[in-house]
Amino acid sequence: MDLKMLAVVFGTVFLAELGDKTQLATLLFAADKEVNKWLVFAGASLALIATSALGVLGGGLISQYVSERTLNIVAGIGFIAIGAWTLMR
């Protein structure tokens, strides 16, 4: 197992998830006093696993047809566009 790659992926996703809408939604669900916190944790964890699986499957499929360089450029442009759109709102 490539522990360095595992650490890089973990660190990147962990930092990307901090303070995003998903984490805030999870926080709001957990703030309800009548809700079982373990169920909130389980639901949020399963959702992250499912979306990560879709990302891995999609990335593997797309990489068969598009070069890694092109994917990096498209992703970079997409992030810049989302950032610009967010600032203009």
Side-chain angles (χ1 to χ4, degrees):
M1 179 190 307
D2 186 356
L3 292 179
K4 183 177 179 183
M5 178 54 69
L6 178 65
V8 168
V9 172
F10 175 84
T12 303
V13 173
F14 184 81
L15 289 175
E17 291 297 322
L18 284 177
D20 76 344
K21 292 181 287 187
T22 305
Q23 187 182 31
L24 295 175
T26 304
L27 182 142
L28 291 175
F29 281 119
D32 186 341
K33 292 178 182 169
E34 297 178 17
V35 173
N36 183 314
K37 307 312 182 239
W38 285 108
L39 289 178
V40 173
F41 174 75
S45 297
L46 290 172
L48 184 56
I49 290 169
T51 58
S52 296
L54 287 174
V56 170
L57 291 172
L61 181 66
I62 291 171
S63 70
Q64 294 177 8
Y65 303 102
V66 181
S67 73
E68 182 179 353
R69 173 92 173 125
T70 302
L71 287 174
N72 284 334
I73 291 169
V74 170
I77 291 170
F79 280 117
I80 291 169
I82 290 169
W85 178 72
T86 301
L87 290 173
M88 293 181 352
R89 287 185 52 194

